[in-house]
Every structure is written in structure tokens, then in C-alpha cells.
Amino acid sequence: MKKLVLSAVLATASFSALANGPAGCGLGTHVIFKDANEFHEHVLAATTNGTSGNQTFGMTSGTLGCEAADGPLTEGLAMFLNQNLETLAVDVAKGEGETLAALSDLMGIQAQDKATFNTALKANFDSVFASEEVTSTTAYNGIVGVMSKQANLVKYLG
């Protein structure tokens, strides 16, 4: 059992070492243990990153601190958010709309989970669009944060 745990930690660490910080990029580093400064916090962040599979999503989309990976969705999603941030905010406030539907399509949200996606974002509008100075990056990070707290939506993060 110890060999299995050690192998998992080493495999995670080897992938993580290529990204940012000792725990690498991913949900564990970017959301859950954002201010990690102790050894055990980095280990837990790396374990979260490695076991939840969100590093793959982060590297593909260029999010969750994996921006250096420059994945294939980076430009498309970033461009979408840059060009549609205001209309997306209106749609999120309403919990429906074409821009919100387009975002859910871009993120790969399946039809059965779109209502949950829309409702969760509407309920967390204030955290996603926290200020008038919101950027596409902060909005996306807020959306990812909301999705990470929803059992039906976390699967789309990686």
C-alpha cells in the first residue's frame, strides 16, 4: 500500500513539477489550497490536483494556474469571455440566455447539467462578477470555483 501511495505522489509530483509551484497547477493549488505555504498543504494540493483530474482540464483550457500549458481551448475560451463578458454577466444574473448557453457549450456541459450550471452561476453571481473591474480571467476563475463546489459540475473541470 505504501508503494502505491508513494508511486501516486511521485507521479503527481513529476507532472506538477512542470507547472507552477511545488504542487503544480490545478484545482488544489488554484482554489482549495490557494495560500498554501506549509509542506502538508502542498502535498494535499498536489494530491487534489492529481486525483481529481482537473490538471488535464487546466492544461487543455489554460486555466487553474496552467496558463503556461497553452492548451487548445485557451484562445477560444479566453476570446469568448473577452468578447462576451458583459452579456454573459447579464445572462448569469438572469440564469439564462444565449451567451450563458454558448459558454456552457464551450465548457462541454451536457444537456442534463445545464440547468444546474445556470442555477449555480446565478446563485453565485456576486462571487463570479465580484466587482465592476472583473476581467475575463477573474470571471472564469469564479465560474470554475462555483463549478468545483457542485457535484454535477465538477466533472467538467477535468
Side-chain angles (χ1 to χ4, degrees):
M1 182 68 177
K2 288 181 182 179
K3 289 180 181 179
L4 180 63
V5 172
L6 180 60
S7 297
V9 170
L10 289 175
T12 301
S14 64
F15 286 118
S16 302
L18 300 174
N20 56 355
C25 63
L27 189 62
T29 303
H30 205 67
V31 177
I32 299 172
F33 297 100
K34 191 173 186 176
D35 299 319
N37 55 12
E38 298 290 329
F39 173 76
H40 69 280
E41 293 171 328
H42 292 296
V43 170
L44 291 171
T47 302
T48 302
N49 294 341
T51 58
S52 64
N54 60 63
Q55 279 185 323
T56 304
F57 174 78
M59 288 187 275
T60 304
S61 64
T63 58
L64 298 174
C66 304
E67 287 79 7
D70 200 21
L73 295 180
T74 303
E75 279 189 37
L77 195 52
M79 185 183 307
F80 175 83
L81 289 173
N82 283 334
Q83 294 177 351
N84 299 290
L85 195 58
E86 289 183 30
T87 54
L88 179 63
V90 171
D91 284 0
V92 168
K94 293 187 305 187
E96 63 183 17
E98 289 182 17
T99 309
L100 185 57
L103 176 66
S104 66
D105 286 342
L106 278 172
M107 296 185 76
I109 308 295
Q110 295 177 351
Q112 69 268 17
D113 294 325
K114 287 188 178 190
T116 302
F117 180 74
N118 294 352
T119 302
L121 289 182
K122 181 180 179 182
N124 292 285
F125 177 86
D126 291 338
S127 65
V128 174
F129 298 98
S131 73
E132 293 179 9
E133 298 170 5
V134 67
T135 65
S136 58
T137 301
T138 59
Y140 186 76
N141 289 337
I143 292 167
V144 168
V146 169
M147 292 175 67
S148 69
K149 295 175 187 170
Q150 297 289 320
N152 291 0
L153 302 177
V154 73
K155 63 186 171 192
Y156 299 106
L157 297 177

